[in-house]
């Protein structure tokens, strides 16, 4: 963002607006300019480019391809193309200009005098300079992929710029979204390393061995008291209760010496053999320690969680009554 102190004084603001054109007929009725400039931005095969196509009557007089780094957004590319169009028209001697873009977001940013995006600020400064040069400049939004010749030409050029350009980038400021994503991924990676190297959270790791994958899944699960006890092993289970002196025996009711833990309840306890058998039929897979996390990733997550919560609820309620 451009620092507010570097932005133009409010008294210097120019009232800007754009018009929307939805078909060839409307475009033709708004083409009576000495120079028409079509702009576009593209992200293709992970690469980003922008372009402008300048027309005098029925002839293209200049085409520019602009390169951006892969972390840039299409929005930035669209803004760059519009900004470059205003920069180019300052070099020309023609009186009237029409700038056409299929990015409403970019045009809204440009015409919003409170927007401090550096490309928008420069665009408005260029348009202000154009008025000092007695030049008339109009901004238009046109519908993308509607067969409009100039727009289709700019679209092709932008794709070519994205894929084929090997020169220095015309704009290399990274978007805020990229910074946030980078910080988030670095944070998740650090969290994951600490999580996987720790000697704690053994039960949780059965369901979520990878913290990054867990970060995406856990938001889809409604937390309850039962799911929390299930995924931590901290709850009304004999082994856990015995550890804190709340129960004399850590064993399950199925067999003396068989610790009542989450893996035992879900995978081996004969008390729940029938429920387990039906669940495995619905899941179309055998359950074991190595497969629990796979059910959390797959399409059968809800079936699996329903089975787990049913068993945990039975065990917790049973131990409450003891």
């Amino acid at each position: 963002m451009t620092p507010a102190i570097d932005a133009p004084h409010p008294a210097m603001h120019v009232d800007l607006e754009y018009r929307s054109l939805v078909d060839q007929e409307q475009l033709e009725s708004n083409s009576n300019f000495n120079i028409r400039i079509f702009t576009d931005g593209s992200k293709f095969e992970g690469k980003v480019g922008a372009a402008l196509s300048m027309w005098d009557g029925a002839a293209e007089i200049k085409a520019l391809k602009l390169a951006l780094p892969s972390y840039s957004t299409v929005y930035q590319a669209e803004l760059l193309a519009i900004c470059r169009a205003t920069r180019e028209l300052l070099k020309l001697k023609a009186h009237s200009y029409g700038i056409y873009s299929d990015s409403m977001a970019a045009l809204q940013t440009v015409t919003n005098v409170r927007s401090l995006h550096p490309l928008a600020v420069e665009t408005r400064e260029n348009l202000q300079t154009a008025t000092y040069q007695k030049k008339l400049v109009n901004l238009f939004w046109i519908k993308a992929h509607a067969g409009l010749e100039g727009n289709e030409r700019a679209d092709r050029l932008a794709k070519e710029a994205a894929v084929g350009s090997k020169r220095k980038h015309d704009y290399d400021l990274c978007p805020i979204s990229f910074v946030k994503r980078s910080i988030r991924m670095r944070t998740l990676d650090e969290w994951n390393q600490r999580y996987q190297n720790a000697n704690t959270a053994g039960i949780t790791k059965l369901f979520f061995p990878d913290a990054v994958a867990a970060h995406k899944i856990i938001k889809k699960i409604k937390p309850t008291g039962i799911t929390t006890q299930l995924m931590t092993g901290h709850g009304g289970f004999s082994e856990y209760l015995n550890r804190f002196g709340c129960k004399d025996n850590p064993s399950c009711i199925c067999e003396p010496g068989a610790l009542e833990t989450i893996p035992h309840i879900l995978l081996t306890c004969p008390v729940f053999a029938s429920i387990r058998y039906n669940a495995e039929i619905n899941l179309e897979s055998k359950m074991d320690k190595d497969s629990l996390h796979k059910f959390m990733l797959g399409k059968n997550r809800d079936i699996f969680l329903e089975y787990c919560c049913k068993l945990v609820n039975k065990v917790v309620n049973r131990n409450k009554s003891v």
Side-chain angles (χ1 to χ4, degrees):
M1 291 294 177
T2 299
I5 195 170
D6 294 333
H9 189 277
M12 300 297 293
H13 286 165
V14 179
D15 291 332
L16 296 173
E17 59 181 20
Y18 65 90
R19 293 183 58 189
S20 298
L21 311 176
V22 297
D23 54 34
Q24 184 67 37
E25 182 180 354
Q26 290 188 3
L27 176 61
E28 290 176 355
S29 64
N30 289 275
S31 298
N32 189 28
F33 303 102
N34 301 131
I35 303 294
R36 291 172 295 133
I37 309 175
F38 295 88
T39 67
D40 206 354
S42 177
K43 190 159 193 172
F44 190 70
E45 297 180 354
K47 300 178 181 179
V48 185
L52 50 145
S53 175
M54 304 174 64
W55 295 67
D56 183 352
E60 182 184 57
I61 58 173
K62 188 173 184 179
L64 285 178
K65 299 178 184 179
L66 309 171
L68 294 90
S70 59
Y71 55 70
S72 299
T73 62
V74 175
Y75 168 72
Q76 282 183 304
E78 299 275 8
L79 274 175
L80 176 62
I82 295 172
C83 181
R84 188 60 179 268
T86 60
R87 195 185 305 172
E88 289 296 316
L89 66 84
L90 294 179
K91 305 174 185 177
L92 303 177
K93 296 181 179 180
H95 170 66
S96 61
Y97 302 84
I99 298 177
Y100 306 83
S101 170
D102 61 15
S103 173
M104 190 170 291
L107 288 168
Q108 288 173 341
T109 300
V110 167
T111 55
N112 177 9
V113 294
R114 295 184 179 181
S115 170
L116 295 179
H117 193 291
L119 289 173
V121 171
E122 182 184 345
T123 299
R124 291 193 292 269
E125 289 175 348
N126 292 341
L127 292 173
Q128 176 79 15
T129 302
T131 61
Y132 296 152
Q133 296 179 351
K134 307 298 183 182
K135 292 176 179 177
L136 176 66
V137 183
N138 286 270
L139 303 175
F140 298 96
W141 173 82
I142 53 178
K143 190 174 181 179
H145 309 298
L148 305 179
E149 184 180 13
N151 179 240
E152 294 297 324
R153 170 63 172 160
D155 179 65
R156 288 194 299 272
L157 289 170
K159 285 185 171 63
E160 291 173 7
V163 177
S165 179
K166 296 181 180 179
R167 60 192 181 85
K168 182 180 178 181
H169 295 138
D170 295 273
Y171 183 80
D172 60 3
L173 296 184
C174 60
I176 294 176
S177 60
F178 173 78
V179 176
K180 289 181 176 179
R181 185 167 60 252
S182 297
I183 294 173
R184 183 167 61 250
M185 291 310 300
R186 289 183 62 180
T187 302
L188 285 172
D189 287 341
E190 177 65 24
W191 175 28
N192 199 28
Q193 288 182 22
R194 295 184 184 185
Y195 175 71
Q196 293 181 341
N197 293 333
N199 295 322
T200 56
I203 297 300
T204 305
K205 289 174 182 175
L206 292 175
F207 300 96
F208 302 112
D210 184 278
V212 176
H215 183 257
K216 298 177 182 178
I217 299 170
I218 203 70
K219 294 183 290 186
K220 302 176 183 179
I221 301 172
K222 183 179 180 180
T224 65
I226 293 297
T227 57
T228 301
Q229 293 179 73
L230 164 69
M231 295 177 185
T232 62
H234 298 175
F237 317 113
S238 295
E239 186 275 337
Y240 184 79
L241 294 172
N242 175 261
R243 198 189 318 168
F244 292 95
C246 298
K247 192 174 182 181
D248 295 334
N249 195 331
S251 300
C252 179
I253 62 170
C254 70
E255 180 184 349
L259 298 181
E260 189 178 75
T261 62
I262 288 295
H264 172 76
I265 295 167
L266 299 183
L267 303 174
T268 60
C269 182
V271 174
F272 304 118
S274 177
I275 300 175
R276 186 179 304 113
Y277 174 77
N278 291 330
E280 288 177 339
I281 290 177
N282 291 331
L283 292 169
E284 299 179 344
S285 177
K286 185 78 174 174
M287 284 186 280
D288 56 44
K289 280 190 176 182
D290 294 330
S291 68
L292 296 185
H293 75 279
K294 296 178 182 177
F295 293 122
M296 298 300 295
L297 294 170
K299 61 181 181 180
N300 292 326
R301 178 172 55 242
D302 291 342
I303 297 174
F304 174 65
L305 284 176
E306 182 181 0
Y307 160 75
C308 294
C309 290
K310 183 177 183 179
L311 268 57
V312 169
N313 193 51
K314 286 179 177 293
V315 172
V316 171
N317 287 333
R318 183 178 68 209
N319 285 328
K320 281 181 180 179
S321 62
V322 175

